[in-house]
Amino acid sequence: MGFNVPTLAPIGLLIASNLFMTFAWYWHLKFHSVALWAVVLISWGIAFFEYWLAIPANRLGSEVYSASELKTIQEVISLSVFALFAVLYLGEKLTWNHAIGFGFIGLGAFFIFKGPLK
């Protein structure tokens, strides 16, 4: 089983894009002394790079995934990246409530990829 570029490249690009986007949206929570206008401009600059990864991810991914599947992949990655960011950067603790909520989201992703129920 080799590396399948059309299947895996979009996932890698979405992971990278979500790293940028999560940082763009939440980095400033540790820096309340920075003016809001500056935070918005800095975050906008960081998000610029997210678009350079997300758009190609979706374009390439549309060759092998439906739009619903791509969005589901993106949401699962987004929550996974955010959970790591919250723990490692913001110093937050994940609780059982988080695990249960993420589990339900994972269950939803399962049904998206399972296809129409018969």
Side-chain angles (χ1 to χ4, degrees):
M1 185 177 209
F3 180 74
N4 187 337
V5 173
T7 303
L8 297 178
I11 294 170
L13 289 167
L14 286 171
I15 290 169
S17 76
N18 273 278
L19 290 169
F20 278 100
M21 202 63 190
T22 299
F23 199 79
W25 283 6
Y26 299 103
W27 70 271
H28 58 88
L29 296 180
K30 291 179 89 172
F31 302 98
H32 290 276
S33 62
V34 178
L36 184 58
W37 66 266
V39 167
V40 170
L41 288 177
I42 293 165
S43 293
W44 188 46
I46 296 168
F48 173 80
F49 297 101
E50 183 267 346
Y51 277 83
W52 277 99
L53 296 163
I55 302 304
N58 288 312
R59 177 70 64 94
L60 291 170
S62 69
E63 296 176 17
V64 292
Y65 300 110
S66 71
S68 294
E69 290 172 335
L70 280 169
K71 183 60 179 170
T72 301
I73 292 167
Q74 189 279 326
E75 291 299 333
V76 169
I77 290 170
S78 178
L79 283 170
S80 301
V81 167
F82 179 79
L84 289 172
F85 183 87
V87 170
L88 299 175
Y89 183 79
L90 297 176
E92 295 184 1
K93 303 271 188 246
L94 294 182
T95 66
W96 279 108
N97 290 1
H98 294 107
I100 292 167
F102 291 161
F104 279 122
I105 291 165
L107 188 60
F110 168 79
F111 282 109
I112 294 291
F113 280 89
K114 183 71 175 156
L117 296 177
K118 296 178 184 175

